[in-house]
Amino acid sequence: MLGIEKQLSRGSRGCLDGHFLIAMPGMADERFERTVIFVCAHSEEGAMGFILNRPQPVQFQELLDNLDIDKDGGDEEHAGLEHRLSDRARDFPIQLGGPVDSGRGFVLHSDDYMSESTMPVNDDLCLTATIDILRAIKDGCGPMRGIMLLGYAGWAPGQLESEISANTWLSCPASDDIVFDPDHSGKYDRVLAHMGISPAMLSIQAGHA
């Protein structure tokens, strides 16, 4: 399976790029039970995406501390870092993106922020996985909308297609409002409602929507 950057840099888009995957009842892997996944890259070489409803008990300030960002200015300057955070940075959401490379962070964000390392995901969303975006968020000049994702979900060539055929996932075009919806506990049901499906209608024996 190609690295996430190589998948995105290819430029060509697969039929599931920019789609949601919604785990069906009976999902065998508990890591993906009742998950909503945003697919950012899909091709004959595999697929990659991010879980959108697994919040993490980590504050943005803690993330900066762990990465030693802005410690160059000395202990006194670093001690005041929390007070210099923008309001948006203090509440910037951090979530588990998936079980692959979970020690690595990615920011999925609106396209109003761009750097040399930013990669478009679709017409409205981009992905940046370098430290420059964290500094921009801290200083209040980052994207208007974004989420920090730790790790990602990945599928080998043909694997995702096989899982969809086995009725493991539903799929539908993604909505930016749902991608950035802070109501994690209700996101699963909201995506189903967006598709016109009630959770009670779902069955592991049902056909595909």
Side-chain angles (χ1 to χ4, degrees):
M1 183 172 60
L2 290 176
I4 195 165
E5 289 89 350
K6 290 183 180 179
Q7 281 275 55
L8 289 171
S9 65
R10 296 261 167 152
S12 60
R13 295 182 179 176
C15 63
L16 291 174
D17 279 12
H19 277 59
F20 286 140
L21 296 176
I22 305 95
M24 287 286 282
M27 165 65 70
D29 190 334
E30 63 181 12
R31 297 174 300 176
F32 295 104
E33 184 178 0
R34 285 183 61 85
T35 54
V36 176
I37 292 178
F38 176 76
V39 179
C40 61
H42 173 233
S43 72
E44 63 183 11
E45 296 171 326
M48 296 181 176
F50 297 102
I51 298 173
L52 297 177
N53 56 338
R54 289 286 191 271
Q56 295 295 287
V58 180
Q59 299 296 314
F60 191 73
Q61 174 66 50
E62 296 177 59
L63 183 68
L64 297 181
D65 289 345
N66 290 337
L67 293 174
D68 290 344
I69 292 179
D70 282 355
K71 280 192 176 179
D72 308 3
D75 293 340
E76 183 177 346
E77 180 178 347
H78 179 64
L81 176 59
E82 184 172 0
H83 300 291
R84 298 201 310 273
L85 287 178
S86 67
D87 291 339
R88 195 184 309 158
R90 288 191 183 96
D91 299 321
F92 199 81
I94 300 176
Q95 302 171 200
L96 177 65
V100 181
D101 215 357
S102 59
R104 187 177 177 198
F106 305 85
V107 179
L108 183 64
H109 58 88
S110 49
D111 63 1
D112 53 339
Y113 172 88
M114 297 292 290
S115 72
E116 292 183 359
S117 58
T118 298
M119 296 170 288
V121 174
N122 60 20
D123 293 337
D124 303 306
L125 299 179
C126 297
L127 189 72
T128 305
T130 50
I131 208 164
D132 55 337
I133 194 171
L134 301 184
R135 291 196 174 100
I137 293 167
K138 174 187 73 68
D139 294 335
C141 54
M144 287 297 296
R145 308 175 84 183
I147 46 178
M148 180 80 176
L149 297 147
L150 304 177
Y152 63 91
W155 291 265
Q159 181 183 359
L160 180 56
E161 292 84 348
S162 296
E163 291 181 6
I164 292 174
S165 296
N167 211 26
T168 301
W169 304 98
L170 292 174
S171 66
C172 72
S175 159
D176 291 359
D177 287 340
I178 295 178
V179 168
F180 298 116
D181 184 357
D183 179 12
H184 301 292
S185 61
K187 190 170 290 190
Y188 183 85
D189 289 342
R190 185 178 173 190
V191 174
L192 291 178
H194 179 71
M195 298 174 67
I197 297 175
S198 166
M201 296 166 56
L202 292 181
S203 166
I204 59 173
Q205 300 299 324
H208 301 297

